[in-house]
Amino acid sequence: MADVEEKKPLVKDEPVDEIPIPAAATPPRRRAPPVPRWARLLLKFSMLAWAFVALRRSVRGNVDALLEIHGAQWIADAFSDAPEMAWGHPHRPHKVLFGKKAEQKFLTVPNAESAIAASRQYATKPHMAGTPGDFETAKDFLKLLQTELGISAPSDLPIYSAGTPQSRNATLGITKQKAPSAWIDTYYPVMNTPLDHSLQILDDDGNAVWTAALEEVADDTDPEAGKYYNAVTTWHGLSKGGSAKGRLVYANYGRKEDYDELVAKGVDLNGTIVLTRYGGIFRGLKARTLYMVKGAQEHGAVACLIYSDPRDDGTVTTENGYAPYPYGPARNPNSVQRGSTQFLSIYPGDPTTPGYPSYENSTRTNGTNIPSIPSLPLSWANAQVLLEEIKEGGTNRTISLVNNVDDRVIPIWNTMGVIPGHIKDEVVVVGNHRDAWVMGAADPSSGTASLHEVIRGLGELLRDGWTPLRTIVIASWDAEEYGLIGSTEWGEDFADWIDKHVVAYLNLDGSVSGSRYRPLATPSLAHFVRGTAEEIEHPTKPGKTLWDATEDRGVLTGEHIDAEALAVYNASEVDDARTNIGSACSGSGERLHGVASNNIGFQSTLQDPVYHYHSVFDSERWMEMYGDPGFGRHVAVAKHLGLQIVRFADSIVLPINTTHHAYRLEKYLDKVESIASSTNLDVDFSGLRSAIHDLQKASTKLDHEKTKAEKKLRRLLRRLAVRRLFRRNIRRALCRLKKLFGRECAHPGPGGAQLASAPADRAHVHAEKTFECSSMANGKSGLLPFKPRVGRAPAWAKEQHEPAVRKERFPMKRFKKAAKRVRAVNQKLKAFERGFIHEDGIKDREWYRNLDVAPGKWLGYGATTFPALTEAFTIEKNATMAEYEAKRLQKLIEKLAHEIKV
């Protein structure tokens, strides 16, 4: 066609046989061979493995931190009987103390400056039980609890009359409380106060040739002693009112052996007035007055006089060159030791309401634990006159004594505080008595000052978000000096509640009166007490521990020391060589119900400045100058007690060592057999010893079980924490991706669960609780251009957007089973001490029902092991009774072995 354009050649006309030579020879381009599929998979697997290891390391590094935050709550939820467990707590702070961190934080709080201020608050004015001063200290302690525990003070003071619905509900409702609380319970025991008294030597015509100046003498060298020297007269609480006349007989310490020696010498005590000296029945412990009076009464005496002898002050005497207080560390010769004459070995508490609480309208009985003869305490200055009167060649004239008292119902005030725990039905009780015979800088205000620091420490933990695993009850007992009245009445008032809920009682009397640390405990707590003491620094010796202070003694030496006083002091040393802890037996209401208990504090030695026990010279000046300069010992006791409280409250398995206690029982039996061998009584102990061996075996198996149970629960706790952290970290990674594509992401809470506390927040969570898969598929959501269909991703994503409180997808059955296993172990540990309770009690003093340990009939606060069996030999001297007591104890131990069997 003409109109068709002719195609032009692509190249110029050239000869076809000529090929142009290229400028450079270039090899042909080859495509790289493809990466094998197995290599790509290996690379992906390696990257995933690396990511997994990095994530696992991150998780492991934070497990302990997460357990500190949620561990106690998780354990508590596991122990709960609720069918489902609610995990995640919207109002929980992000950093909560628990376990070691809580203990370490607590130990930073007690300090000397605060302890001194507390001591001055309580020990610079008289506050004898039942007085206005005592009531003021009860309110002071209430305010302390309210302030430190974060309790809102009501418009009306929470002061309840014992027995009323308010008082009953306050204690019975402890296991249901969700927030700290504090109140004052008022009990109404029968006590007495002094009216007038006198002591004279009469001539043959009945005329007074000498009249004792019975009151203490002090001046302004000690400002409080000078001000209050006659605020509380020198007398004996619960002493018999009346008058008496008679010849004087000296009975040394007034011990049973002292009276037996007088009888053996043919001394007729009928109609006499007995003169004894303090000491001899446990230096540093109480219960001396009552047995001197009891012994005199039982031997026919008409009255008893008790004085403080410098021979019992060890090396710190004027004979060794020490000046008397307030000018030096030796005894002030005008000091007088007050005390109670209640017969604690019969029963403690209100004499007129044995076995039941002293309400305002309670039925009263005639007390059988108070003396029937009058008594008076004397100074060394007065005693010297009487000793001169009866020495060989003395005139030994008639002594006239008057002790008029007013017996009546007197209100007393127990101040109580509660810190609710996660496990509300397991309760640790901490107690210290508050009342003093005068000011009581050592007894009990040193203990009150230390407890003040403990409460400050617990308050600091609460403010940092700490909640104890178990509930803590803090008690400031009243009228202890009269005869353990405040604690006993509370114990009788709430006997069933105590039996059901209390797992331990930690006691603090006076915390400092000398240089030697002397903890006492039931054997089941001995290792716990020692172990915690070994973690506290020594108050005065760098590089040593508080436990090392159990070997401390004063530095005031001298050439002269009374041999008998030294022998008595050495005889009071502890007999448990393995733990170096003596047996605790306070006789308080808690011991009635078989609760593991202890008592701690620094006590006076024979080389310490003389502790003017129950005198006006037990003053703040004496404490700051001689008792504890710098208050390092007060602080050490506070740290030890507080560490015990936190550890006991937060431990998964109760720190009760039943095996050590079971092996101590065999030592107790060895002691009884030794006593029996010195008599002509033939008693077979083989059955009892066999029962003890069975208990030891059962307890050893319980040890293995509690170790396994706790290990299992802790392992599951860590698994739960690891699971939470994996989920939290993965969710954070997805959140970063969401933010990268401009989509908001809710923040996970401290446990990994999404938290929504406010209603608006919860609505927001609900609106976004699922992924928009269709939007993600077409890329319109701003998240990912594909559906996350790998494995559990969709279900996991949904979980992350559920409300804060939700069911945890974790092997709950296993967790619950492990918790119930621990719970069962703890119930057996709690039951151990209760296993020694016999409903029939001890002969002639049935109020005491613990056949393992009880106040000795002649020891008061001092403990007698296997008391009913021991006294069948030492007091009754009756083979039939000894056989009966051995069988009774055997059955009790056999039953206990069966009860703790696993």
Side-chain angles (χ1 to χ4, degrees):
M1 296 182 184
D3 56 342
V4 175
E5 183 179 355
E6 186 178 354
K7 292 183 179 179
K8 295 181 179 180
L10 295 176
V11 293
K12 295 181 178 179
D13 293 337
E14 292 180 357
V16 259
D17 56 343
E18 292 184 13
I19 299 175
I21 300 173
T26 303
R29 187 175 181 181
R30 296 182 180 180
R31 186 177 181 181
V35 177
R37 187 171 181 272
W38 65 267
R40 294 198 306 272
L41 291 175
L42 179 61
L43 179 62
K44 290 180 180 180
F45 178 79
S46 299
M47 293 177 66
L48 286 173
W50 175 86
F52 178 81
V53 170
L55 183 61
R56 188 171 183 83
R57 287 176 179 173
S58 173
V59 167
R60 284 180 174 175
N62 290 282
V63 165
D64 291 338
L66 191 62
L67 285 174
E68 287 174 11
I69 295 173
H70 291 287
Q73 182 63 55
W74 290 347
I75 296 169
D77 286 344
F79 285 154
S80 171
D81 293 329
E84 298 291 347
M85 296 165 62
W87 302 93
H89 293 266
H91 304 292
R92 179 172 292 280
H94 285 260
K95 188 176 182 181
V96 181
L97 294 174
F98 180 66
K100 285 292 183 182
K101 290 290 182 67
E103 294 173 7
Q104 292 165 2
K105 176 67 174 180
F106 172 86
L107 294 175
T108 66
V109 177
N111 66 77
E113 183 179 357
S114 177
I116 291 172
S119 180
R120 291 174 180 175
Q121 178 184 8
Y122 290 96
T124 54
K125 54 185 179 293
H127 51 286
M128 187 177 74
T131 63
D134 177 42
F135 184 46
E136 289 303 313
T137 63
K139 292 188 289 185
D140 288 344
F141 202 87
L142 175 65
K143 184 177 180 180
L144 170 69
L145 291 170
Q146 291 172 335
T147 301
E148 294 298 333
L149 304 186
I151 303 168
S152 298
S155 55
D156 296 328
L157 285 176
I159 302 175
Y160 309 136
S161 181
T164 62
Q166 297 95 327
S167 174
R168 298 284 297 167
N169 292 338
T171 293
L172 296 179
I174 286 174
T175 55
K176 298 178 181 178
Q177 290 185 19
K178 296 181 179 180
S181 62
W183 69 94
I184 295 175
D185 278 327
T186 306
Y187 287 92
Y188 301 88
V190 169
M191 303 190 299
N192 60 13
T193 52
L195 295 174
D196 60 85
H197 57 187
S198 66
L199 179 66
Q200 297 177 323
I201 297 176
L202 306 180
D203 62 18
D204 292 340
D205 296 327
N207 299 315
V209 296
W210 174 77
T211 300
L214 294 176
E215 307 305 332
E216 293 181 289
V217 179
D219 58 33
D220 290 338
T221 305
D222 184 324
E224 280 79 33
K227 183 177 181 180
Y228 296 115
Y229 70 94
N230 60 354
V232 178
T233 192
T234 56
W235 69 300
H236 287 144
L238 294 178
S239 57
K240 175 69 174 178
S243 59
K245 294 180 181 179
R247 301 287 181 179
L248 202 62
V249 174
Y250 180 67
N252 198 25
Y253 286 118
R255 299 167 297 188
K256 182 178 184 298
E257 54 264 39
D258 292 322
Y259 286 113
D260 289 345
E261 184 177 348
L262 288 173
V263 171
K265 290 179 178 179
V267 177
D268 185 4
L269 295 177
N270 280 306
T272 64
I273 294 177
V274 171
L275 176 66
T276 67
R277 58 169 165 153
Y278 282 111
I281 309 178
F282 274 83
R283 177 185 175 87
L285 296 180
K286 304 186 179 184
R288 293 177 280 207
T289 309
L290 41 124
Y291 292 100
M292 298 164 188
V293 178
K294 188 174 187 291
Q297 173 182 305
E298 291 180 350
H299 287 86
V302 295
C304 185
L305 298 169
I306 312 172
Y307 73 97
S308 301
D309 197 316
R311 286 182 292 170
D312 295 296
D313 295 334
T315 58
V316 191
T317 60
T318 54
E319 185 181 13
N320 281 322
Y322 295 103
Y325 187 79
Y327 310 106
R331 176 173 299 281
N332 185 309
N334 295 302
S335 66
V336 178
Q337 178 178 318
R338 298 159 183 79
S340 174
T341 58
Q342 186 188 67
F343 301 160
L344 281 179
S345 65
I346 308 300
Y347 61 89
D350 181 357
T352 67
T353 61
Y356 57 95
S358 53
Y359 297 158
E360 192 169 14
N361 59 353
S362 289
T363 301
R364 310 284 175 175
T365 65
N366 293 324
T368 60
N369 67 338
I370 50 178
S372 59
I373 62 173
S375 64
L376 284 175
L378 300 178
S379 67
W380 169 238
N382 285 327
Q384 290 180 84
V385 177
L386 298 178
L387 291 171
E388 188 70 21
E389 183 75 13
I390 61 174
K391 73 177 183 180
E392 186 175 350
T395 54
N396 199 4
R397 291 166 287 189
T398 300
I399 305 299
S400 174
L401 176 150
V402 174
N403 179 52
N404 291 324
V405 297
D406 182 14
D407 298 303
R408 68 186 192 281
V409 173
I410 300 175
I412 62 171
W413 304 276
N414 289 339
T415 304
M416 313 293 292
V418 177
I419 302 175
H422 291 296
I423 304 175
K424 300 184 183 302
D425 61 347
E426 292 184 1
V427 180
V428 178
V429 179
V430 185
N432 161 250
H433 84 89
R434 190 188 63 257
D435 65 298
W437 279 120
V438 192
M439 295 171 293
D443 181 22
S445 296
S446 63
T448 306
S450 293
L451 187 57
H452 178 279
E453 294 306 285
V454 170
I455 294 169
R456 286 183 57 247
L458 296 177
E460 187 69 22
L461 295 184
L462 291 174
R463 286 186 286 275
D464 276 355
W466 174 74
T467 298
L469 190 60
R470 295 179 180 83
T471 294
I472 299 169
V473 171
I474 301 169
S476 176
W477 307 122
D478 202 358
E480 188 271 356
E481 297 294 5
Y482 274 87
L484 302 165
I485 293 178
S487 61
T488 299
E489 298 312 307
W490 184 80
E492 292 175 336
D493 201 0
F494 299 102
D496 292 339
W497 184 89
I498 292 170
D499 185 59
K500 185 176 181 181
H501 298 298
V502 176
V503 297
Y505 175 60
L506 310 180
N507 188 66
L508 185 63
D509 200 349
S511 63
V512 182
S513 62
S515 64
R516 174 166 291 181
Y517 200 53
R518 188 177 185 187
L520 304 173
T522 50
S524 59
L525 292 187
H527 287 90
F528 173 70
V529 173
R530 177 167 181 166
T532 49
E534 288 174 338
E535 296 183 37
I536 306 298
E537 63 274 15
H538 193 288
T540 61
K541 299 177 181 178
K544 291 185 175 293
T545 70
L546 179 60
W547 183 253
D548 294 322
T550 58
E551 301 297 329
D552 284 359
R553 64 181 65 221
V555 297
L556 305 180
T557 59
E559 295 181 2
H560 306 286
I561 187 170
D562 184 78
E564 186 177 17
L566 180 61
V568 167
Y569 177 80
N570 290 334
S572 68
E573 294 300 296
V574 297
D575 60 354
D576 187 350
R578 291 190 64 185
T579 63
N580 198 29
I581 293 179
S583 297
C585 186
S586 66
S588 65
E590 290 69 40
R591 290 295 295 146
L592 168 66
H593 303 282
V595 175
S597 59
N598 69 20
N599 184 60
I600 59 176
F602 284 89
Q603 294 184 356
S604 179
T605 73
L606 296 181
Q607 294 176 339
D608 281 314
V610 173
Y611 167 40
H612 295 77
Y613 183 57
H614 288 177
S615 161
V616 74
F617 299 115
D618 182 6
S619 64
E620 185 66 22
R621 179 184 182 272
W622 180 87
M623 179 59 71
E624 294 188 25
M625 180 174 289
Y626 293 110
D628 188 17
F631 272 53
R633 294 187 180 109
H634 283 73
V635 173
V637 172
K639 288 182 177 181
H640 189 203
L641 178 60
L643 182 59
Q644 291 181 75
I645 294 169
V646 174
R647 191 163 293 179
F648 219 111
D650 278 351
S651 59
I652 293 177
V653 172
L654 293 170
I656 295 175
N657 188 339
T658 59
T659 300
H660 177 65
H661 198 145
Y663 277 89
R664 289 299 299 164
L665 297 181
E666 193 159 19
K667 296 295 183 181
Y668 299 166
L669 183 55
D670 291 343
K671 185 176 181 180
V672 172
E673 285 189 327
S674 176
I675 293 172
S677 66
S678 63
T679 69
N680 58 359
L681 306 180
D682 185 18
V683 177
D684 181 15
F685 296 112
S686 60
L688 177 55
R689 191 172 292 277
S690 176
I692 293 174
H693 289 164
D694 289 342
L695 181 63
Q696 291 168 353
K697 294 175 184 177
S699 181
T700 301
K701 291 181 179 179
L702 179 59
D703 284 345
H704 293 304
E705 171 62 12
K706 71 183 183 184
T707 300
K708 292 178 181 178
E710 181 171 5
K711 185 177 181 179
K712 177 68 173 179
L713 184 59
R714 286 190 179 277
R715 186 162 59 244
L716 288 173
L717 279 172
R718 294 191 70 84
R719 282 188 58 191
L720 177 58
V722 168
R723 178 187 176 90
R724 284 295 185 87
L725 285 167
F726 265 115
R727 292 169 57 180
R728 183 178 70 181
N729 290 351
I730 293 173
R731 189 179 189 286
R732 283 177 174 174
L734 282 183
C735 280
R736 292 191 187 101
L737 285 174
K738 290 172 72 176
K739 290 178 180 178
L740 183 64
F741 288 95
R743 185 176 178 87
E744 292 185 1
C745 179
H747 294 286
Q754 180 177 314
L755 304 184
S757 57
D761 293 334
R762 287 195 293 270
H764 176 71
V765 168
H766 180 72
E768 292 190 325
K769 76 175 185 176
T770 57
F771 284 108
E772 298 290 344
C773 294
S774 60
S775 297
M776 288 189 289
N778 57 30
K780 293 180 181 180
S781 69
L783 287 177
L784 297 172
F786 57 86
K787 291 185 180 181
R789 294 290 186 184
V790 182
R792 292 189 64 253
W796 173 87
K798 183 179 179 181
E799 288 174 11
Q800 303 313 303
H801 288 73
E802 288 181 356
V805 179
R806 56 186 170 73
K807 297 178 183 178
E808 175 73 20
R809 297 193 177 185
F810 183 73
M812 287 298 104
K813 288 185 179 179
R814 293 175 62 190
F815 202 57
K816 280 275 193 180
K817 184 178 179 181
K820 288 181 179 179
R821 185 179 180 184
V822 170
R823 180 83 156 183
V825 166
N826 283 339
Q827 290 299 314
K828 292 181 183 296
L829 294 173
K830 185 183 79 169
F832 186 84
E833 297 285 344
R834 288 157 171 82
F836 297 105
I837 302 297
H838 195 287
E839 60 182 8
D840 293 339
I842 300 173
K843 181 181 180 295
D844 296 334
R845 47 202 188 107
E846 287 73 15
W847 191 94
Y848 292 102
R849 300 182 297 155
N850 193 320
L851 301 190
D852 174 37
V853 61
K857 200 167 186 177
W858 285 87
L859 292 179
Y861 285 62
T864 293
T865 54
F866 286 176
L869 179 59
T870 298
E871 290 168 4
F873 290 100
T874 59
I875 296 177
E876 303 297 335
K877 297 179 172 49
N878 186 315
T880 302
M881 180 176 293
E883 287 279 6
Y884 167 76
E885 293 297 349
K887 289 293 183 184
R888 188 161 67 128
L889 188 56
Q890 175 185 335
K891 291 179 180 178
L892 212 60
I893 293 176
E894 288 172 346
K895 181 180 178 182
L896 177 56
H898 177 75
E899 189 168 350
I900 68 169
K901 188 176 181 181
V902 292

